[in-house]
């Protein structure tokens, strides 16, 4: 089973989280299942999310989508996220 790992910085986690939660349907449509949402112990506004991926092509399309970029910008993502596709 493949995975997608995302590392990013947000302006304010408490503001970002509800916007992230509101985008659940889009992640479901992309075949992504959140396994872990982690925060850096030294910087609570740096996040790492690990998703289980049902279909690698759908996940890659989602990761490159204008919709995701717009949602990230609206929710307060302040850097270019690092996105990795991984195999077990």
């Amino acid at each position: 089973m493949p995975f997608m790992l995302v590392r990013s910085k947000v302006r304010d986690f408490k503001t970002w989280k509800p916007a992230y939660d509101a985008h659940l349907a889009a992640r479901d449509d992309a075949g992504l299942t959140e396994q872990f949402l982690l925060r850096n112990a030294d910087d609570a506004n740096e996040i790492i999310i690990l998703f289980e991926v049902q279909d690698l092509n759908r996940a890659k399309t989602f990761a490159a989508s204008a919709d995701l970029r717009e949602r990230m910008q609206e929710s307060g993502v302040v850097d270019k996220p690092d996105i990795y596709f991984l195999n077990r």
Side-chain angles (χ1 to χ4, degrees):
M1 172 83 44
F3 293 89
M4 182 172 86
L5 179 78
V6 179
R7 190 244 27 107
S8 192
K9 294 262 305 191
V10 299
R11 186 171 298 110
D12 176 66
F13 182 83
K14 290 178 183 177
T15 301
W16 170 84
K17 181 69 164 73
Y20 168 79
D21 291 343
H23 206 225
L24 177 61
R27 292 191 303 276
D28 287 346
D29 288 345
L32 300 174
T33 303
E34 180 187 305
Q35 297 299 308
F36 296 100
L37 170 56
L38 307 167
R39 297 167 73 184
N40 184 324
D42 295 322
D43 180 355
N45 290 319
E46 181 176 32
I47 55 166
I48 296 174
I49 312 169
L50 181 65
F51 297 98
E52 189 174 289
V53 174
Q54 291 177 10
D55 180 296
L56 198 52
N57 289 330
R58 281 178 29 215
K60 287 181 177 183
T61 298
F62 174 78
S65 71
D67 175 61
L68 181 60
R69 281 192 306 277
E70 290 169 12
R71 293 292 181 123
M72 285 186 192
Q73 185 175 13
E74 292 168 0
S75 67
V77 173
V78 295
D79 68 352
K80 183 176 186 282
D82 298 315
I83 301 175
Y84 302 96
F85 295 95
L86 309 165
N87 290 314
R88 194 177 266 194

